[in-house]
């Protein structure tokens, strides 16, 4: 089978001359026809600080590609820095995926190495690779090393929430809070808790899309560069074998990712990302699969935000392979990786070097750790909760709704001493779904009212159609679908209604007769949010984004479109 790039470089005519001549720039004569052209889709950016080291990783990939007879090509792609991009990086995930997909298809490329790290970067790269279906392999950029403050390890994100709540509760001074800021980010790399970046890096491996044994390697660890070098060699082999995402990313590999997500206690954001990646391939994955496959998987990893340790500890303790080695019987035994061999065959003995960090199957942190999918008259299309991050006493709860129509409304009223709220109330935040915000921000772990914090309350039931940071925790019901701005019943809830959360029974309901709920009008703020004038990407996004329950992709990007070579323009 001729290489795809030969459609550009393989002829002796004027057009092939043009394609080769402009690309020579010192490349040897034999760098074109017959040699695999490998794009390095690189999300390095100074504005994505978690990925700013990826140029060095790319250099190692380049060496590996040359070693194996390929030609490496740097391809800077849209990068999303979680802490900087407004209104929320999630608004741009699909744009990054679309732009990367189009550039891979438009150029003389035979395969691609995907360099990501910060939350949305690996999902967008995998969505793109799935759609264009060229041989593709991920190098996760890796977590940062553990920073400490006053002798205590700091978890990125998680400890920001904890420390800021302590300031609000009056138990930490504002000066000490600011002092901790300089200690939080110790090295290159992404957040070091089991947040979204760590989760998606590890799940990229569980899906089979990394060189086995790579994910979770700290960004500052020189072994990451060695793995990047080997990955450069591997992608050349993958091109020869025509090993494409459609062969690697099967229903079995998504099963493996869901098992890993549960055993790791990974971020809830993985749900919406895995659904979107599966959608690009036509793999039938539904919200309920997360509950069905993951519910009985034990929680084995004691990492923040739910636990104690950080990513450097997980790597030291044996990493993903040690975790998966404990649940190997739950994995799909046939799902292959980018090596062409099944994931399960790569696990070997996979010893646990620190049982405090990685627990054995016989002594798990929790016997069941997956994502629980809730349904009911408040979430006809589903909602999710991560029981491992919730308070056990709140998993079954009935309380009076206190409703906020926007993040701004929340901030204006939540600390009002006169707000009619108590520890049993259910805080509802709506207008935060994909269409309503727009972009589905990580705001669902809404702060508790200051007067309750001061009274010692540390968790309450919260319900939202948005997402929650993977570094956050609490009894938070997320991704309520349909979202309020898209006509979901959440738009009709009023302060004072009774809401019942029943995680064991998998339900989320408002105690109203069907007829009364149907007859109510949605809150005006929900329809007003959609009517706001927009342009450009935001307009396209709001008009075409799907619900969280199907991955919040754009409806016209669902499904693979392949790597056909477009017509010549010269
Ligand atoms: Fe980039 Fe957390 S901000 S991974």
């Amino acid at each position: 089978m001729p290489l795809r790039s030969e459609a550009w470089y393989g002829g002796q005519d004027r057009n092939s001359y043009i394609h080769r001549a402009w690309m020579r720039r010192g490349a040897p004569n034999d760098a074109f026809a017959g040699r695999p052209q490998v794009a390095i889709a690189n999300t390095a950016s100074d504005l994505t600080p978690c990925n700013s080291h990826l140029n060095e990783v790319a250099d190692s990939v380049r060496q590996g590609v040359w070693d194996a007879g390929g030609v490496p090509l740097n391809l800077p792609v849209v990068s999303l820095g979680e802490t900087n991009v407004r209104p929320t990086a999630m608004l741009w995930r699909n744009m990054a995926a679309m732009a990367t997909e189009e550039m891979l298809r438009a150029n003389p490329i035979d395969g691609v190495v995907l360099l990501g790290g910060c939350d949305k970067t690996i999902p967008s790269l995998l969505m793109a690779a799935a759609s264009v279906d060229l041989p593709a392999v991920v190098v996760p950029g890796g977590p940062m090393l553990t920073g400490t403050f006053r002798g205590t390890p700091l978890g990125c994100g998680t400890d920001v929430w904890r420390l800021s709540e302590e300031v609000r509760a009056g138990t930490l001074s504002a000066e000490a809070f600011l002092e901790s800021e300089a200690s939080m980010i110790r090295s290159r790399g992404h957040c070091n808790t089991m947040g979204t970046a760590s989760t998606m890096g590890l799940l990229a491996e569980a899906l089979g899309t990394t060189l086995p044994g790579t994910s979770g390697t700290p960004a500052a660890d020189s072994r990451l560069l060695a793995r990047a070098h080997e990955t450069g060699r591997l992608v050349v082999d993958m091109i020869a074998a025509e090993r494409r995402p459609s062969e690697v990313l099967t229903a079995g590999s998504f099963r493996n990712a869901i098992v890993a997500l549960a055993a790791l206690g990974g971020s809830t954001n993985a749900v919406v990302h895995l659904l979107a990646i599966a959608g690009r391939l036509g793999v039938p994955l539904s919200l309920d699969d997360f509950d069905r496959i993951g519910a009985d998987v034990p929680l084995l990893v004691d990492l923040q935000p739910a636990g104690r340790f950080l990513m450097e500890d997980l790597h030291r303790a044996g990493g993903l392979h040690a975790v998966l080695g404990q649940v190997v019987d739950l994995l799909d035994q046939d799902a292959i990786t980018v090596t062409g061999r099944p994931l399960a065959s790569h696990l070997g003995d996979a010893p646990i070097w620190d049982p405090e960090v990685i627990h054995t199957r016989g002594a798990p942190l929790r016997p069941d750790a997956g994502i629980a999918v809730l349904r009911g008259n408040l979430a006809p299309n589903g909602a999710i909760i991560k029981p491992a991050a919730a308070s056990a006493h709140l998993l079954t709860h009935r309380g009076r709704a206190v409703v906020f129509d926007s993040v701004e409304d929340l901030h204006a009223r939540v600390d009002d001493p006169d707000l009619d709220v108590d520890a049993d109330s259910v805080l509802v935040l709506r207008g935060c779904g994909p269409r309503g915000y727009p972009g589905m921000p990580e705001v669902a772990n809404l702060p508790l009212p200051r007067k309750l914090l001061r009274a010692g309350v540390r968790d309450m039931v919260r319900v939202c159609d948005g997402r929650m940071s993977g570094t956050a925790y609490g009894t938070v019901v997320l991704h309520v679908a349909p979202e309020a701005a898209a006509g979901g019943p959440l738009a009709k809830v009023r302060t004072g209604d009774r809401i019942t959360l029943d995680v064991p029974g998998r339900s989320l309901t408002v105690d109203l007769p069907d007829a009364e709920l149907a007859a109510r009008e949605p809150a005006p703020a929900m329809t007003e949010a959609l009517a706001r004038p927009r342009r450009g990407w935001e307009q396209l996004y709001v008009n075409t984004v799907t619900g969280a329950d199907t991955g919040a992709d754009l409806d016209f990007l669902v499904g693979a479109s392949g790597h056909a070579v477009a017509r010549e323009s010269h």
Side-chain angles (χ1 to χ4, degrees), residues 116-119 122-123 126 138-142 190 195-207 209-210 214-216 264 311 320:
C118 198
D119 292 16
I122 287 179
L126 278 174
V138 178
V139 180
H190 61 66
T196 305
S198 300
T199 301
M200 292 311 300
L202 293 162
L203 295 196
E205 179 156 341
L207 282 167
T209 61
T210 74
T214 302
S215 69
L264 292 163
M311 284 295 286
L320 180 70

Side-chain angles (χ1 to χ4, degrees), residues 391-475:
S391 300
H393 72 281
L394 291 174
L395 291 176
T396 305
H397 181 81
R398 184 168 184 267
R400 182 179 160 276
V402 177
V403 180
F404 302 95
D405 278 338
S406 66
V407 175
E408 292 75 18
D409 180 30
L410 168 76
H411 289 149
R413 294 196 292 128
V414 71
D415 287 336
D416 183 341
D418 296 329
L419 183 69
D420 186 8
V421 65
D422 60 34
D424 290 331
S425 300
V426 174
L427 303 178
V428 174
L429 176 59
R430 62 191 173 192
C432 299
R435 298 184 71 196
Y437 192 73
M440 203 182 178
E442 296 180 334
V443 294
N445 57 313
L446 50 169
L448 307 187
R450 180 178 284 138
K451 65 181 179 184
L452 297 181
L453 277 171
R454 290 205 161 138
V457 177
R458 288 294 179 268
D459 195 11
M460 293 170 69
V461 174
R462 289 159 272 180
V463 176
C464 183
D465 48 8
R467 296 177 301 121
M468 178 170 80
S469 166
T471 59
Y473 53 90
T475 310

Side-chain angles (χ1 to χ4, degrees), residues 41-111:
N42 187 352
T43 53
S45 163
D46 287 342
L47 284 166
T48 307
C50 306
N51 294 17
S52 59
H53 64 297
L54 291 180
N55 286 329
E56 189 182 1
V57 177
D59 285 342
S60 293
V61 174
R62 291 176 79 87
Q63 294 303 322
V65 173
W66 283 122
D67 276 0
V71 177
L73 300 153
N74 188 36
L75 179 65
V77 294
V78 177
S79 189
L80 296 168
E82 193 66 26
T83 51
N84 282 334
V85 173
R86 294 184 179 190
T88 168
M90 186 64 175
L91 176 61
W92 315 104
R93 181 201 66 177
N94 300 339
M95 188 189 82
M98 187 166 78
T100 303
E101 172 192 340
E102 298 295 347
M103 288 305 98
L104 290 173
R105 187 181 299 109
N107 278 294
I109 287 168
D110 300 305

